[in-house]
């Protein structure tokens, strides 16, 4: 069993950013690109402890990494491979919200998103039902569903043993309510550990 953890965004495009500790300075650590590795590290630790092979990548262009992920999965025929694109959400108001996105063409991606969401719900996190990301410019909902699709779009062209999901386990606005960098780190690490168990459930299901 294999899990690919992709730290998305980049040093030049760091994603959502909020003054998390309220000191009036937007520090490097307060940017999405520098926050997601905290939960990715926790995911990797839990997965490795359960005998899962963990592969990691980071940055752009996403399409290049999607091609790489497809090749890695193709080199392991019959082995379940989960691709996880790491993000945080940005929703004004400070509420906590965990939301997983999958390519609406992918049943495997849907099941992966469902397993992660179920595990997070059981752990007490505020979750939304997994959303099917797609690109339909005639649909008024398309803009907010296309962005998540962009993070995983190339995975669908890979072999049948590969499925992808876009992870958005919390909002940066909610992290800003936690009071300190240490509390934020603990929260993100906890999120990562819980999400890893959801991925494990999917891997076991796929392995039969």
């Amino acid at each position: 069993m294999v899990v690919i953890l992709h730290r998305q965004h980049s040093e030049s495009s760091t994603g959502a950013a909020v003054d998390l500790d309220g000191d009036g300075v937007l520090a490097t650590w307060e940017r999405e690109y520098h926050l997601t590795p905290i939960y990715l590290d926790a995911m990797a630790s839990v997965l490795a402890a359960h005998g899962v092979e963990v592969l990691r990548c980071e940055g752009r262009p996403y399409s290049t990494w999607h091609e790489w992920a497809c090749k890695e999965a193709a080199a392991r025929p019959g082995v379940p491979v989960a691709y996880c694109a790491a993000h945080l959400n940005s929703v004004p108001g400070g509420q906590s919200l965990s939301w997983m996105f999958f390519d609406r063409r992918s049943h495997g991606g849907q099941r992966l998103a469902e397993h992660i969401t179920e595990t997070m719900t059981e752990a007490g996190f505020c979750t939304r039902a997994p959303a099917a990301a797609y690109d339909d410019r005639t649909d008024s909902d398309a803009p907010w569903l296309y962005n998540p699709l962009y993070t995983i779009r190339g995975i669908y062209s890979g072999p049948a043993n590969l499925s992808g999901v876009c992870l958005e386990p919390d909002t940066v606005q909610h992290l800003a309510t936690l009071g300190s960098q240490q509390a934020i780190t603990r929260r993100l690490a906890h999120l990562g550990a819980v999400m890893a168990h959801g991925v494990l459930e999917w891997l076991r299901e796929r392995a039969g």
Side-chain angles (χ1 to χ4, degrees):
M1 297 184 290
V2 180
V3 175
I4 298 171
L5 301 177
H6 186 178
R7 176 191 183 189
Q8 296 203 340
H9 291 298
S10 66
E11 288 287 359
S12 61
S13 178
T14 55
V18 172
D19 179 15
L20 296 175
D21 57 10
D23 66 355
V25 178
L26 191 57
T28 298
W29 73 269
E30 294 171 313
R31 301 173 186 273
E32 183 178 355
Y33 182 67
H34 297 280
L35 293 166
T36 55
I38 300 171
Y39 77 66
L40 289 176
D41 287 347
M43 289 183 73
S45 179
V46 171
L47 292 166
H50 285 80
V52 176
E53 180 183 5
V54 178
L55 306 177
R56 300 185 69 162
C57 58
E58 62 180 64
R60 298 174 184 266
Y62 299 164
S63 59
T64 298
W65 288 116
H66 294 164
E67 291 174 8
W68 171 78
C70 291
K71 290 177 182 177
E72 292 293 331
R76 299 164 173 81
V79 176
V81 181
Y83 170 90
C84 300
H87 287 268
L88 289 166
N89 213 330
S90 180
V91 179
Q95 71 268 38
S96 174
L97 178 64
S98 300
W99 209 353
M100 305 299 138
F101 295 85
F102 61 93
D103 187 324
R104 72 172 177 182
R105 301 169 295 178
S106 173
H107 175 70
Q110 179 178 354
R111 291 297 295 146
L112 177 57
E114 288 171 348
H115 277 297
I116 296 171
T117 300
E118 289 166 7
T119 304
M120 296 188 74
T121 302
E122 290 169 0
F125 291 106
C126 179
T127 61
R128 278 194 179 182
Y134 62 97
D135 180 18
D136 181 353
R137 302 308 169 93
T138 66
D139 189 329
S140 61
D141 283 339
W144 67 269
L145 287 169
Y146 174 72
N147 287 337
L149 176 62
Y150 174 66
T151 71
I152 55 175
R153 188 171 196 164
I155 299 302
Y156 185 76
S157 62
N161 61 323
L162 172 66
S163 296
V165 65
C166 173
L167 307 174
E168 294 195 353
D170 207 346
T171 67
V172 290
Q173 289 82 4
H174 176 252
L175 295 178
T177 70
L178 300 182
S180 70
Q181 185 174 359
Q182 292 76 16
I184 292 166
T185 298
R186 287 194 299 270
R187 166 83 174 185
L188 290 171
H190 185 197
L191 285 164
V194 172
M195 286 191 292
H197 285 285
V199 176
L200 284 168
E201 289 300 318
W202 179 85
L203 291 169
R204 291 168 184 145
E205 177 180 271
R206 297 286 283 190

